Amino acid sequence: MCGRFVITSPPEALRQFFGYFEQPNFPPRFNVAPTQPIPVVINHDGRHFRLMRWGFWPAWVKDPRKFTHLINARAETVKEKPAFKNAIRRRRCLIPADGYYEWQSMEGGKRPYFVHRRDGAPIAFAGVAETWIGPNGEEVETVAIVTAPASVDLAVLHPRVPVAIAPLDFGFWLDCRSDEADSVTPLMRGPEKGEFAWHEISSRVNHVANDDAQLVLPITEEQREAERPKPKKASARKVASADFDDGQGSLF
């Protein structure tokens, strides 16, 4: 899945990579989280840059406050799910990124990892978008990232990964004139084995307020030791006699 990602490439480099007309200037982001505005590339008489809210709202939602945030859409069901079946046919988009975070379950809790292309190139996440129109006419552009089963190497972190569209397929993915999605189904797959690399990072990334370049650096031994779960203290209990000493000491 994808619940946090980073955008660190210079704005002009992303503009050249994705080929949109606009020249936005935005700072690097090291901890992009759901509900925040994120860069999105769409095709409307040419490629364009937009900011959309990460967290998909289908057009038929009456009150978003009572609706679950849909940050991901499964490739296997995106064409049939009522929330996404129109968007995958008519409003496919690309989401620029330079990597994402994944948490691996292990004894003692979960550990975060930074996942990125092995060659260091930007990533184009496959996305589906929807413009939600409220009862007072307000409009909110929303988006979700399409996910697929992970390759055998990435599956050690999580069974699902974001779908990444190759540059040669940008135009094909963004072209929604045919009003169908069967032709792009082969594109909705995870990266090939060996295409992505990853390393363990500090649990500072768990807090959305932390948004700095240190988040993507490999964890140091000092950090790992500091973040190691502390052993739980044994429950203190009263002893029957003041003369009893089990060698453990007593709080009473």
Side-chain angles (χ1 to χ4, degrees):
M1 61 177 297
C2 181
R4 303 273 186 86
F5 66 95
V6 305
I7 312 170
T8 56
S9 291
E12 182 57 26
L14 289 178
R15 177 174 177 268
Q16 294 293 328
F17 187 76
F18 286 94
Y20 46 76
F21 295 127
E22 294 76 14
Q23 300 183 46
N25 186 23
F26 47 88
R29 295 291 311 280
F30 292 92
N31 205 356
V32 181
T35 74
Q36 294 178 347
I38 62 173
V40 174
V41 180
I42 64 169
N43 182 35
H44 183 69
D45 295 328
R47 295 182 196 171
H48 295 278
F49 175 98
R50 295 285 187 272
L51 286 177
M52 296 187 183
R53 179 187 182 278
W54 185 16
F56 189 95
W57 293 346
W60 40 262
V61 169
K62 300 300 182 183
D63 186 353
R65 294 172 299 180
K66 301 178 181 179
F67 188 77
T68 302
H69 296 301
L70 301 177
I71 64 172
N72 294 149
R74 296 173 69 93
E76 303 92 319
T77 58
V78 68
K79 293 189 293 183
E80 292 79 34
K81 286 288 186 180
F84 301 118
K85 64 180 182 180
N86 289 329
I88 190 62
R89 293 183 3 242
R90 304 169 185 167
R91 290 175 289 278
R92 295 188 296 271
C93 60
L94 297 170
I95 299 168
D98 288 277
Y100 67 97
Y101 299 116
E102 192 54 81
W103 283 258
Q104 183 185 41
S105 297
M106 57 182 60
E107 186 178 355
K110 293 185 176 183
R111 291 299 311 171
Y113 288 77
F114 177 56
V115 187
H116 56 92
R117 284 190 56 87
R118 193 176 295 275
D119 60 11
I123 307 168
F125 292 148
V128 288
E130 183 68 271
T131 300
W132 180 81
I133 302 177
N136 298 319
E138 66 272 29
E139 296 185 2
V140 181
E141 292 189 295
T142 68
V143 66
I145 296 172
V146 181
T147 68
S151 56
V152 64
D153 53 348
L154 281 169
V156 302
L157 297 181
H158 195 278
R160 300 195 66 80
V161 293
V163 170
I165 303 297
L168 289 177
D169 294 321
F170 285 179
F172 190 40
W173 174 260
L174 292 172
D175 188 354
C176 300
R177 290 174 296 180
S178 63
D179 194 22
E180 54 83 28
D182 290 341
S183 61
V184 298
T185 298
L187 300 182
M188 291 190 284
R189 62 182 187 275
E192 298 293 336
K193 181 181 178 181
E195 190 175 350
F196 277 53
W198 60 91
H199 55 258
E200 186 180 356
I201 59 173
S202 168
S203 60
R204 290 184 61 245
V205 72
N206 295 350
H207 302 284
V208 177
N210 294 329
D211 189 350
D212 58 77
Q214 301 299 311
L215 296 182
V216 301
L217 297 181
I219 191 170
T220 65
E221 286 303 321
E222 291 79 9
Q223 287 174 319
R224 182 178 284 109
E225 183 61 32
E227 296 175 9
R228 198 182 306 278
K230 301 297 187 294
K232 294 182 178 180
K233 293 182 179 181
S235 299
R237 58 186 180 86
K238 292 185 178 181
V239 294
S241 170
D243 296 328
F244 175 76
D245 184 4
D246 61 1
Q248 305 280 335
S250 174
L251 296 179
F252 300 94

